[in-house]
Structures are given as C-alpha cells and as structure tokens.
C-alpha cells in the first residue's frame, strides 16, 4: 500500500500490469464502449490506408476503401450521438457535427439504387 492510501500497480514477473485508469487515460473511448473504440481504430487505420493509396495515385483502390471508411466512420459515431451526455459539451457538439457531415457523404454510398 502506498503512503497516500492507494494500491501500487500489480506486478507480474517484474512487468507493470496496466490499471483501468491507465487504460482509459491512453484510450478514453474505451470508457464509453470497447466496441466503439475498436471500430474507431479500424476507421483510423482504413483512413491511413486511403491516404497512402492516394499518394501512390491508386485512385480506384483509394475510392473503394474511402467508401468503406465513410460507412465505418458514420457507424462508429452513431452510438456516440445516441449518448451525447457521455461526452463533455464541446466534444459532444463536435461528435454530432461530424456525424452530420458524414451523413451527407454516406447517403450516396449507402443508398445505391438504380433510378427508374
């Protein structure tokens, strides 16, 4: 027990075991939802892939991944906007604003239909 009354982090064979507080500090979205955090990371990775393809001028590959990025980013934000009270004021406003922008991008991708 530390002198301030808090327990020292557990040790496993000389290695530091990450506490929940350390985990949430490093990845705050985990506190909201592990699923949303995982989806968010996947969207970030896909976005980086799109940017990499664009620098290589692989336009069709970049476009195809951008399609999935748009759908994924929207779906990762959707549950956050359902629970905006979980996020501080300015962050909640920014999440909602971003979802609205993504909705405009998402519609043509998600609602692909042949016109009569």
């Amino acid at each position: 027990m530390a002198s301030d009354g808090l327990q020292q982090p557990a040790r496993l064979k000389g290695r530091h075991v990450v506490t929940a507080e350390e985990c949430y500090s490093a990845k705050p979205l985990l506190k909201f939802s592990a699923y949303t955090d995982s989806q968010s990371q996947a969207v970030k990775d896909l976005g980086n892939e799109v940017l990499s393809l664009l620098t290589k001028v692989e336009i069709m590959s970049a476009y195809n991944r951008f399609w999935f990025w748009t759908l994924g980013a929207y779906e990762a934000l959707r549950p956050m906007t359902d629970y905006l009270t979980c996020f501080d004021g300015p962050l909640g406003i920014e999440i909602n604003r971003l979802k609205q922008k993504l909705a405009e991008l998402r519609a043509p991708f998600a609602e692909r239909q042949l016109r009569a």
Side-chain angles (χ1 to χ4, degrees):
M1 191 71 75
S3 61
D4 61 2
L6 298 175
Q7 287 186 336
Q8 293 295 316
R11 301 267 175 202
L12 183 62
K13 295 185 181 180
R15 294 185 183 211
H16 176 70
V17 176
V18 178
T19 65
E21 293 80 18
E22 291 170 324
C23 192
Y24 293 147
S25 177
K27 297 186 84 169
L29 199 51
L30 274 176
K31 204 169 195 175
F32 174 71
S33 164
Y35 298 114
T36 301
D37 179 70
S38 175
Q39 291 166 349
S40 173
Q41 187 59 54
V43 167
K44 287 178 194 175
D45 293 345
L46 191 54
N48 288 333
E49 191 175 335
V50 168
L51 292 174
S52 175
L53 289 167
L54 287 173
T55 62
K56 297 174 187 172
V57 195
E58 295 183 31
I59 303 301
M60 283 312 296
S61 292
Y63 172 82
N64 292 337
R65 284 165 181 78
F66 179 70
W67 175 37
F68 288 116
W69 179 89
T70 303
L71 298 174
Y74 179 85
E75 290 303 320
L77 283 172
R78 196 168 47 85
M80 289 189 263
T81 59
D82 291 343
Y83 298 96
L84 283 176
T85 56
C86 294
F87 302 95
D88 291 339
L91 182 57
I93 291 167
E94 183 63 21
I95 288 169
N96 202 38
R97 185 190 66 76
L98 183 55
K99 181 187 169 206
Q100 290 171 353
K101 283 186 172 186
L102 284 169
E104 293 174 21
L105 283 174
R106 176 190 150 280
F109 288 130
E111 299 169 8
R112 300 184 114 176
Q113 297 178 14
L114 294 174
R115 303 259 180 207

